[in-house]
Amino acid sequence: MNTSLPISLLQRDWIEMLSLRFDERTFRASKPIVWLLMLAMVLVAVVTHATSMSVVVSGDRYTLVKLSSDGQFVTFVDRTGEHPVLRRQRVGADQAQNVVAWPAGAMNYQVARDGSSFLLFGHGKGGAPSLSYVSATDLVTHPVEVQGSIAGFGGASVDDFVVLTQDQSAHLHVLHIAFGSGNVTRTDDLGDVSDVAFDGSGRVRAVRSGQGVWGPIGHASRQGQPAPASASVVSASNDGKDLWFTDVDAKGFKVLRRLNVGTQQWSLASNAKDTDVSWITVNPKTGGVDGYAKAEAEPQWVTMPDIAADVKHLTAMLMGVPYVIARSSDDRIWLFALMSSRIPVGYYTYDRSSGRVVHLFWAREFFSDEPMLPSVARWIRSADGTPIQVLVSPPSPQTCHTPQCPFVVKLHGGPHHRDDLTFDPETYWLQSLGYWVVRVNFRGSIGFGDVFAHASNREWGRKVIEDVAGAVDWFVQTFPADKTKGAAMGGSFGGFAAMALATSHPDAVRCVASLNGGGDLEAFATLLPQRQPHMAGDIREEVGDVQRAIDLRDIRQQSPAAHIDSAKAHFLVEYGEQDTTSVSEESSRFAQALRQQGKPVLEVIYHNEGHELTDPDSRRYHFQLLSDFLSSCFEGTPLSADQGRPGGVSLNDTSVPDTHPGSP
């Protein structure tokens, strides 16, 4: 296994090389060298493109990475082959051992204290939750029969596998399943309780009564201050005296709270100040939280003195932020993921006693000897003075060969989502193609408080887009990008926002790519509540009520479809015909309206896909088409949408009659 890091970067050499200017005599004397250099650069660009494509097409190669509580084994699901396999690897060893083929429908697993056996959780026939057991010596999965319905599945205790079940009377039970046999050895009836808290060793220490009050296992408190509905239990101390929760404060930020079970007194256990608490690590020896990260653009750890030196050492050494996944029961061995904007997530083990750090694998395949240049986060003011966070990622110097390269505004979905400076596959891929990437945490993004998150209500096509337009204007004035060669892209709400930017600010970008982004806000607000009634209230709150004339006028005014006549951009409109989240008619109507006005648009319909492209062939075609579309838009190169098009995908463009006009 590779135990070294790709820290021998050549960016400075590349930048200096690309900025050389040859006079005529120098060029004649060194022409062979120059042509070889140019050929090498082309070859590097081709290799980078081919390799980086796998980052966005293939997804994570290794998932569900865990550590046995004795610190001896790392276990994971290996997805590099034709079929995924559950594997285990001794800490410090180079080779991993196959345990069993990862069953279809399996979702998670627990690993025994010594890494010798596994309890798998998934869906069996009819979609009902099911359990199965496998050991590293037997290698054959056996079903585990349980009474009642499975209500919870977490990690194993130091003694056995633990599963929560619920009987017909709504009582919760704890099933203890032996490591060595997979048999249920004991069942604890917790009675009429609504939730449980596990300590640092995986044992249930406290329960929540039907009245919402937490107390020790066996006698849940009936009196006291109920836990807030927003509070989610994180851990219980190993003595059962204290509980830790995440909660939301008065400003809408996620905080960490502590509850003394005996006195029922709550206290604030975090000091993030106007930012969310994100990652949390629990001390296995005490069960208490001894570290959390502040959800800033680049997460920042706040730790207790016991682990502060370790976190500081790992952060400085690895040029990234360590996300602690698991800690051995004696707290000597850590399993962590390295988070960075420059390279995919890498998995490592850390021996606290010796200081040894071992790299296990990268989550995704990437061009490992040339990480991207660092991304930066900046705060700007939107048109109405609202502070907006903008993330800027520079192009790879291997593929950006001019002083000013094109840029892509990549907009996140939601709108209640956010971008940060941890690894983003699509951003990395776009950088590798030689583009600047601009990401905007416009109003509606989470992590900046409830007021900011709800500021997008009824403003999807207005103030949200003003945030994006302001970010684009600031970017082209601040960074050495080609302001005449800009694109906007996104999926779901991000696709909608890209279309709205191009129709309300027609000079902001030259081309737009949307995947399941709609574009017809009236169709979205009308059809989605009909098909998903449980979302009707959210749509009325966030977009408006099409049954009210005043709302309908506002929805139409904010819809990109109402401003197509102003658009100057080229459009790539892709969508899954089975999409029930954005509704496919929204995208098809927008594309049809573009064609009717003679606007350049390529419409791509994935007939067997929904809101996400799940088929590898569909994903590969999507990203290749997107790459070609951007090249065509910026450089005028021919676009051949038929090349590599898989079955189940059809096309419409302005040069051919409609073959999929959408619903009337």
Side-chain angles (χ1 to χ4, degrees):
M1 306 295 284
N2 178 20
T3 57
S4 62
L5 293 173
I7 57 177
S8 56
L9 306 182
L10 302 176
Q11 281 106 351
R12 181 178 303 171
D13 296 334
W14 276 103
I15 293 171
E16 291 174 353
M17 201 176 296
L18 296 177
S19 64
L20 289 178
R21 296 293 183 267
F22 299 99
D23 61 28
E24 187 177 356
R25 287 181 303 167
T26 304
F27 185 82
R28 282 199 303 267
S30 59
K31 185 181 293 186
I33 298 175
V34 172
W35 282 113
L36 286 173
L37 173 61
M38 293 175 65
L39 177 60
M41 291 167 64
V42 170
L43 291 175
V44 167
V46 170
V47 172
T48 303
H49 184 197
T51 307
S52 65
M53 179 72 79
S54 65
V55 170
V56 287
V57 171
S58 302
D60 286 346
R61 301 182 298 169
Y62 304 99
T63 59
L64 299 176
V65 186
K66 300 178 185 287
L67 177 72
S68 60
S69 60
D70 66 358
Q72 295 298 306
F73 285 94
V74 173
T75 62
F76 53 93
V77 177
D78 184 339
R79 302 182 183 276
T80 58
E82 185 176 352
H83 301 289
V85 178
L86 178 63
R87 310 186 77 191
R88 70 170 189 167
Q89 180 174 329
R90 186 174 292 278
V91 172
D94 291 334
Q95 301 297 322
Q97 169 195 358
N98 289 353
V99 176
V100 69
W102 187 244
M107 300 171 61
N108 205 344
Y109 69 92
Q110 296 179 16
V111 55
R113 177 187 63 249
D114 60 357
S116 62
S117 56
F118 305 83
L119 185 69
L120 280 58
F121 170 77
H123 292 292
K125 294 181 179 179
S130 64
L131 300 175
S132 57
Y133 168 86
V134 63
S135 72
T137 55
D138 189 2
L139 303 183
V140 177
T141 56
H142 304 281
V144 178
E145 300 296 334
V146 300
Q147 298 296 319
S149 59
I150 297 174
F153 184 86
S157 76
V158 295
D159 306 309
D160 47 30
F161 299 118
V162 178
V163 178
L164 294 179
T165 62
Q166 188 176 51
D167 62 23
Q168 292 183 347
S169 61
H171 281 203
L172 281 181
H173 302 261
V174 180
L175 267 61
H176 299 269
I177 301 172
F179 289 148
S181 65
N183 297 325
V184 177
T185 59
R186 191 174 87 252
T187 302
D188 299 333
D189 187 348
L190 303 180
D192 182 18
V193 300
S194 58
D195 202 355
V196 303
F198 295 92
D199 67 11
S201 61
R203 299 185 179 97
V204 176
R205 287 292 183 182
V207 294
R208 182 181 181 180
S209 70
Q211 290 73 32
V213 182
W214 284 88
I217 186 171
H219 48 281
S221 299
R222 303 294 171 178
Q223 297 180 346
Q225 183 68 33
S230 56
S232 178
V233 67
V234 173
S235 178
S237 61
N238 289 1
D239 59 12
K241 294 181 179 180
D242 294 287
L243 304 178
W244 280 263
F245 298 80
T246 57
D247 194 12
V248 178
D249 68 8
K251 295 182 179 180
F253 291 99
K254 184 182 289 186
V255 296
L256 188 66
R257 299 193 192 277
R258 185 173 182 172
L259 171 66
N260 183 295
V261 176
T263 65
Q264 290 291 300
Q265 294 297 309
W266 291 81
S267 59
L268 186 65
S270 62
N271 187 28
K273 288 187 178 179
D274 293 343
T275 188
D276 282 349
V277 165
S278 58
W279 308 333
I280 293 172
T281 184
V282 173
N283 190 319
K285 292 182 175 181
T286 66
V289 172
D290 59 4
Y292 63 89
K294 295 187 292 184
E296 298 176 349
E298 186 173 39
Q300 301 292 323
W301 276 103
V302 178
T303 59
M304 299 295 286
D306 184 49
I307 65 169
D310 298 282
V311 171
K312 183 178 181 180
H313 168 66
L314 293 174
T315 301
M317 181 180 69
L318 299 176
M319 298 166 53
V321 184
Y323 167 50
V324 182
I325 300 171
R327 297 156 66 173
S328 62
S329 57
D330 62 2
D331 208 21
R332 184 175 67 88
I333 303 296
W334 287 6
L335 170 69
F336 69 91
L338 181 68
M339 312 299 285
S340 166
S341 65
R342 306 174 65 202
I343 52 177
V345 174
Y347 289 94
Y348 298 78
T349 57
Y350 169 51
D351 188 328
R352 297 182 72 198
S353 61
S354 67
R356 186 186 184 202
V357 175
V358 176
H359 174 236
L360 300 172
F361 37 69
W362 304 107
R364 294 185 180 225
E365 185 178 355
F366 78 114
F367 200 45
S368 58
D369 61 346
E370 188 65 32
M372 295 302 147
L373 294 169
S375 301
V376 296
R378 297 290 184 267
W379 285 92
I380 67 169
R381 294 277 180 179
S382 191
D384 63 358
T386 301
I388 301 297
Q389 188 183 68
V390 184
L391 311 180
V392 178
S393 303
S396 167
Q398 291 192 0
T399 48
C400 175
H401 299 152
T402 66
Q404 293 181 315
C405 283
F407 67 93
V408 176
V409 184
K410 180 180 173 295
L411 301 169
H412 68 66
H416 306 307
H417 188 58
R418 70 173 289 174
D419 284 316
D420 59 27
L421 294 185
T422 58
F423 181 74
D424 177 69
E426 289 186 5
T427 297
Y428 176 93
W429 174 67
L430 290 167
Q431 288 178 276
S432 76
L433 297 182
Y435 301 127
W436 289 90
V437 184
V438 183
R439 292 176 289 165
V440 186
N441 281 320
F442 41 75
R443 67 192 77 197
S445 303
I446 59 173
F448 306 97
D450 272 0
V451 172
F452 190 83
H454 292 297
S456 61
N457 287 1
R458 309 279 181 118
E459 296 288 347
W460 281 21
R462 196 163 34 221
K463 289 184 178 179
V464 170
I465 307 307
E466 290 302 317
D467 294 345
V468 177
V472 174
D473 186 58
W474 166 82
F475 167 76
V476 297
Q477 294 183 47
T478 308
F479 291 86
D482 187 340
K483 64 176 63 179
T484 68
K485 293 183 178 180
M489 61 169 278
S492 193
F493 181 85
F496 165 86
M499 294 174 178
L501 176 67
T503 53
S504 62
H505 295 76
D507 294 318
V509 292
R510 181 185 290 189
C511 41
V512 171
S514 167
L515 175 63
N516 288 319
D520 187 332
L521 197 57
E522 181 183 353
F524 173 78
T526 302
L527 296 175
L528 189 61
Q530 295 175 6
R531 296 175 185 178
Q532 299 196 45
H534 67 282
M535 295 186 66
D538 292 336
I539 298 303
R540 285 194 294 269
E541 177 183 357
E542 297 195 24
V543 180
D545 186 350
V546 293
Q547 302 301 320
R548 300 178 70 239
I550 189 172
D551 283 9
L552 182 58
R553 284 195 299 271
D554 196 42
I555 290 170
R556 287 173 174 170
Q557 192 278 329
Q558 293 188 57
S559 177
H563 305 285
I564 286 176
D565 57 337
S566 301
K568 300 178 181 179
H570 291 242
F571 289 83
L572 172 62
V573 179
E574 299 179 273
Y575 58 92
E577 197 171 38
Q578 308 303 316
D579 188 3
T580 58
T581 301
S582 291
V583 298
S584 60
E585 291 91 339
E586 187 189 1
S587 293
S588 66
R589 291 179 186 183
F590 183 76
Q592 184 179 9
L594 285 167
R595 282 194 298 275
Q596 288 173 345
Q597 293 201 29
K599 305 292 184 177
V601 55
L602 172 62
E603 180 184 6
V604 182
I605 307 101
Y606 298 86
H607 296 286
N608 301 318
E609 298 280 6
H611 198 60
E612 303 287 343
L613 299 182
T614 58
D615 180 75
D617 289 338
S618 295
R619 291 180 59 80
R620 187 173 295 104
Y621 174 74
H622 160 69
F623 284 107
Q624 185 60 60
L625 179 62
L626 180 57
S627 174
D628 293 346
F629 173 73
L630 293 174
S631 295
S632 173
C633 186
F634 294 144
E635 310 301 336
T637 57
L639 174 62
S640 177
D642 275 321
Q643 185 174 354
R645 178 161 60 98
V649 177
S650 60
L651 308 172
N652 289 325
D653 62 39
T654 51
S655 63
V656 298
D658 286 345
T659 59
H660 185 78
S663 301

